Amino acid sequence: MTNGKTSERLYQDVARSLVEELAAGRFPVGTRLPAERELALRFDVSRPTVREAMIALEVQGFVEVRLGSGAYVLRLPNEGDRPGFDVSAFELTEARLLFEGEAAALAATQITDEELTEVARLVDDIAQENNDPAGTERADREFHLAIARATRNSAIYNAIEQLWDLRQTSPEAALLHSKARTANVKPVVEEHCAVLDALRSRDANAARAAMRAHLAAVLDGLLFATEEQALAQARRATQAKRERYTRATA
Amino acid sequence: MTNGKTSERLYQDVARSLVEELAAGRFPVGTRLPAERELALRFDVSRPTVREAMIALEVQGFVEVRLGSGAYVLRLPNEGDRPGFDVSAFELTEARLLFEGEAAALAATQITDEELTEVARLVDDIAQENNDPAGTERADREFHLAIARATRNSAIYNAIEQLWDLRQTSPEAALLHSKARTANVKPVVEEHCAVLDALRSRDANAARAAMRAHLAAVLDGLLFATEEQALAQARRATQAKRERYTRATA
DNA sequence: CTCGTTTTTTGGTAATACCAATTTTCAAAA
DNA sequence: TTTTGAAAATTGGTATTACCAAAAAACGAG
């Protein structure tokens, strides 16, 4: 109706149209959406399809469905909810550098001996599985998440975990990450050891510095991996990025 | 079947059961879930209900449904996906202190003149609407998000935005926040001004310090608001928290 | 054993019906 | 007139059935 874009699934079209109407301010927070039967007529689909779209909105926290009453707007979509949201590997690693650096600093003041042995075990894990790329990735993730968990702050842990999940949302980013990792397995282990040592001594500043150094190295690996397959035109853009990220790291 | 818990909505029961089976490792990543018709038999519900549950899983990124083939596991549920996840106002503000501090530092090196005027306008906004609590909250949020946007890093912006959204997930936390704010409107404006000045001078360290000072003050306000209504027993816990957070801030 | 066709399985959607909770309507009663 | 309360209409919740299209599996010809 209002939009010609058609995806494979009808309920996605309906849900997307409704989200667009929400974003456009058509239905302010607290107001009631049209009835399912009415929406079925408006979109020219069956009621089960409208219900499927409704559940998609409900799961995303946009609306609350009340039996016998209707669907009421809970919140409006914001940037992150819009489609086409994928972060580059650079943005992702920059964010991790800043956030995980602070998380490591906080973790250094909170970590228990048990958690230290757990982190140490994960450092060994990544050293062992240097053959299997999938195992290495998993061990790396667990290492970083264990430190985030040691902050005893679920908001911090959740945010960092979501940054790792973001890697999967973009195939190119995931590929770039794995490519950048293969060449730098041994340095990664050493950098992880440095972080572990700082945590052991409960030195917040050292932990922050070690974590930032590690992720700065990852960032360098990404830049190198990009350059390897880049044209001269892309090389200029990379150079600009390098300037920016080295500035941010300093 | 495996679980007796029953909520208002059937599709939620089915979806929850499936998520539990995923978390239990019953269906590894990449494997196919049973067919919709089979699940309908297993859960003793109709196929539309199974489909609704399937869409809930799909929206949450757990499975990918392929026409004519089946539903395949994309990722396993993690901590943040489990129910009962709500962060305390303290955790949330501590996370913001660390993350937004770094974001402000990065923003100071990236912000444009146009964005500076935008941030300045938002500082005025919160000063104007010091009567309307809802308007104050909105202006406050926009101020912080504008700074996050100035980092030019969508991963950072998204993470900070989600921290703000987390506030709404817990009614108690939202109430505590609004209560803590009402008393401290004028100091907030001054602290925002300090952040703005640091951004204007493109001083990353000053921006980080100003933002951390602001959020440390918010944290203090939260502790005060908690104490006001706390019993002696709760007071001891608060004291422990104060020690911890002041340590983290130092 | 390989390749192409047929059959079966599986998801996608529609249509209909009925129930339960809520909301609205409206008439009876105070 | 206002209030109250029951009846009617609205709305979501679920089940049933049916049919289509795409994919996968089975199968048969070569």
Side-chain angles (χ1 to χ4, degrees):
Chain A
M1 48 163 300
T2 63
N3 195 331
K5 282 181 64 177
T6 175
S7 50
E8 293 129 25
R9 237 82 93 58
L10 266 185
Y11 91 85
Q12 293 174 343
D13 291 345
V14 176
R16 184 158 33 79
S17 296
L18 289 175
V19 168
E20 283 172 4
E21 291 198 64
L22 286 179
R26 181 92 175 63
F27 304 106
V29 171
T31 58
R32 213 203 67 180
L33 261 51
E36 292 178 356
R37 291 167 174 84
E38 185 182 339
L39 289 175
L41 288 179
R42 278 193 19 197
F43 290 108
D44 194 37
V45 295
S46 68
R47 183 147 89 96
T49 298
V50 171
R51 284 188 58 77
E52 292 180 346
M54 227 38 137
I55 281 165
L57 295 189
E58 192 178 23
V59 170
Q60 294 174 81
F62 292 138
V63 302
E64 169 198 20
V65 181
R66 293 205 277 265
L67 193 155
S69 179
Y72 296 83
V73 179
L74 282 183
R75 72 179 181 89
L76 264 34
N78 47 37
E79 302 299 329
D81 301 311
R82 303 318 300 269
F85 167 72
D86 67 9
V87 297
S88 76
F90 302 100
E91 287 176 299
L92 192 49
T93 307
E94 182 182 43
R96 288 184 51 209
L97 190 151
L98 298 182
F99 292 175
E100 292 200 34
E102 296 308 305
L106 176 57
T109 71
Q110 302 284 330
I111 198 165
T112 66
D113 290 340
E114 294 75 34
E115 288 170 329
L116 275 175
T117 64
E118 160 86 0
V119 172
R121 189 182 59 75
L122 290 167
V123 170
D124 286 344
D125 270 12
I126 198 172
Q128 303 297 329
E129 316 202 48
N130 50 12
N131 303 334
D132 175 25
T136 301
E137 159 109 18
R138 194 189 48 74
D140 190 14
R141 175 190 164 105
E142 288 311 312
F143 170 80
H144 285 273
L145 289 185
I147 293 174
R149 204 176 304 117
T151 62
R152 300 274 187 292
N153 183 314
S154 58
I156 291 175
Y157 175 81
N158 200 248
I160 290 177
E161 186 181 41
Q162 288 193 107
L163 283 181
W164 277 84
D165 287 344
L166 266 186
R167 180 178 301 204
Q168 305 302 335
T169 62
S170 161
E172 314 83 39
L175 178 65
L176 188 55
H177 272 116
S178 66
K179 189 179 297 182
R181 181 199 312 279
T182 51
N184 308 26
V185 183
K186 279 176 289 298
V188 163
V189 174
E190 295 172 8
E191 292 153 17
H192 279 195
C193 278
V195 174
L196 174 60
D197 288 341
L199 290 177
R200 276 212 179 97
S201 56
R202 264 84 176 182
D203 184 339
N205 288 327
R208 180 190 293 110
M211 181 64 84
R212 289 177 81 117
H214 167 45
L215 289 170
V218 173
L219 209 41
D220 259 2
L222 284 177
L223 291 164
F224 184 74
T226 304
E227 282 180 351
E228 271 193 335
Q229 61 185 14
L231 299 316
Q233 189 268 350
R235 200 158 294 178
R236 282 201 303 278
T238 297
Q239 184 56 31
K241 276 182 185 164
R242 190 191 290 278
E243 283 173 8
R244 166 184 173 168
Y245 289 109
T246 49
R247 199 189 320 154
T249 313
Chain B
M1 49 163 301
T2 64
N3 195 330
K5 283 181 63 178
T6 175
S7 50
E8 294 123 25
R9 236 81 94 58
L10 268 185
Y11 92 85
Q12 293 174 342
D13 291 346
V14 176
R16 184 157 33 78
S17 296
L18 289 176
V19 168
E20 283 173 4
E21 291 198 64
L22 285 179
R26 181 94 173 62
F27 304 105
V29 171
T31 58
R32 212 202 68 179
L33 262 52
E36 291 179 357
R37 290 168 175 85
E38 185 182 340
L39 289 175
L41 288 178
R42 281 198 10 205
F43 291 108
D44 194 38
V45 296
S46 68
R47 185 149 87 98
T49 298
V50 172
R51 284 188 57 77
E52 293 180 348
M54 226 39 136
I55 282 165
L57 296 189
E58 192 178 22
V59 170
Q60 294 173 84
F62 292 137
V63 300
E64 170 198 21
V65 181
R66 292 204 278 265
L67 193 155
S69 178
Y72 295 83
V73 180
L74 282 183
R75 72 177 181 91
L76 264 33
N78 46 38
E79 302 298 330
D81 300 312
R82 303 318 300 268
F85 168 71
D86 66 10
V87 297
S88 75
F90 302 100
E91 289 177 298
L92 191 50
T93 307
E94 182 183 43
R96 287 184 52 208
L97 189 151
L98 298 182
F99 293 175
E100 292 200 34
E102 296 307 305
L106 176 57
T109 72
Q110 302 284 329
I111 197 166
T112 66
D113 289 340
E114 293 75 34
E115 289 170 327
L116 275 175
T117 63
E118 161 85 1
V119 172
R121 189 182 58 76
L122 289 168
V123 170
D124 286 344
D125 270 12
I126 199 171
Q128 301 298 329
E129 314 202 48
N130 50 10
N131 304 334
D132 175 26
T136 302
E137 160 111 16
R138 194 189 47 75
D140 191 14
R141 175 191 164 103
E142 290 309 313
F143 169 80
H144 286 272
L145 288 185
I147 293 174
R149 204 175 305 120
T151 64
R152 301 274 189 290
N153 182 316
S154 58
I156 291 175
Y157 175 81
N158 199 248
I160 290 177
E161 186 180 42
Q162 287 192 111
L163 283 181
W164 276 84
D165 287 343
L166 266 186
R167 182 178 299 202
Q168 305 302 336
T169 63
S170 161
E172 314 83 40
L175 179 65
L176 188 55
H177 272 116
S178 66
K179 190 180 295 181
R181 181 199 311 280
T182 51
N184 307 26
V185 183
K186 279 176 289 299
V188 163
V189 174
E190 296 172 7
E191 293 153 15
H192 280 194
C193 279
V195 173
L196 174 59
D197 287 342
L199 290 177
R200 277 213 178 96
S201 56
R202 264 85 176 181
D203 186 338
N205 289 327
R208 180 190 293 109
M211 182 62 84
R212 290 177 81 118
H214 166 45
L215 289 170
V218 172
L219 209 40
D220 259 3
L222 285 177
L223 290 165
F224 184 75
T226 304
E227 281 179 353
E228 271 193 335
Q229 62 184 15
L231 299 315
Q233 190 268 351
R235 197 158 296 179
R236 281 201 305 278
T238 298
Q239 185 56 31
K241 276 182 186 166
R242 189 192 291 278
E243 283 173 8
R244 167 186 173 167
Y245 289 110
T246 50
R247 198 190 321 155
T249 312

